[in-house]
Amino acid sequence: QVQVAESGGGSVETGGSLRLSCLHSGYPYLLFCTGWFRQAPGTEREGIATMANTGGHAHYSDSVKDRFAIAHDDAKRTLYLQMESLKPEDSGMYYCALGPRTLGKSCDSFEPDQFTFWGQGAQVTVSS
């Protein structure tokens, strides 16, 4: 059984920083894609960062590029999202996701359907 759980959300002021963690277990394959998505009330879920579980190239949305950093520690089975220079528009529920990875293909996809397992979400609130 695959389990995925985010932690580290909270409230910060504009310009502040937060780090989200996502502990996962039970994924049945050695290679997989990881991703962070977020959703504000009344909006669609937005992909913001993805990478392979083994590291290397990371893919970011324009809205978070140069401010957020995704990382994965395979040994600890933990995915991270370091968020800097936070803005009020970064507020929302943040979700960690895992999905299949095809050998020879990148994890550069923000399509939610590409990810199979999701956490329950962590709330991030940025006040102005």
Side-chain angles (χ1 to χ4, degrees):
Q1 182 180 0
V2 178
Q3 295 184 322
V4 182
E6 302 92 342
S7 62
S11 297
V12 295
E13 295 184 345
T14 296
S17 302
L18 277 176
R19 188 175 80 158
L20 300 180
S21 299
C22 172
L23 179 63
H24 60 85
S25 63
Y27 198 88
Y29 301 106
L30 291 178
L31 301 179
F32 52 94
C33 293
T34 68
W36 286 100
F37 291 73
R38 68 184 182 188
Q39 188 170 20
T43 69
E44 293 187 354
R45 193 166 294 191
E46 172 194 17
I48 57 173
T50 63
M51 72 182 299
N53 68 302
T54 50
H57 169 73
H59 183 54
Y60 297 98
S61 67
D62 289 342
S63 59
V64 306
K65 192 174 183 180
D66 299 326
R67 298 189 299 121
F68 290 12
I70 186 174
H72 184 258
D73 187 325
D74 225 20
K76 294 183 179 179
R77 294 179 284 107
T78 303
L79 181 68
Y80 301 98
L81 185 68
Q82 181 66 43
M83 303 183 289
E84 306 284 349
S85 302
L86 284 161
K87 307 173 184 179
E89 51 263 44
D90 292 319
S91 297
M93 191 69 76
Y94 281 68
Y95 298 92
C96 167
L98 310 180
R101 176 183 169 192
T102 302
L103 194 61
K105 294 188 67 176
S106 73
C107 292
D108 292 358
S109 172
F110 290 143
E111 289 295 326
D113 289 346
Q114 298 296 313
F115 292 85
T116 312
F117 301 102
W118 295 79
Q120 294 299 306
Q123 180 67 41
V124 172
T125 303
V126 185
S127 59
S128 57

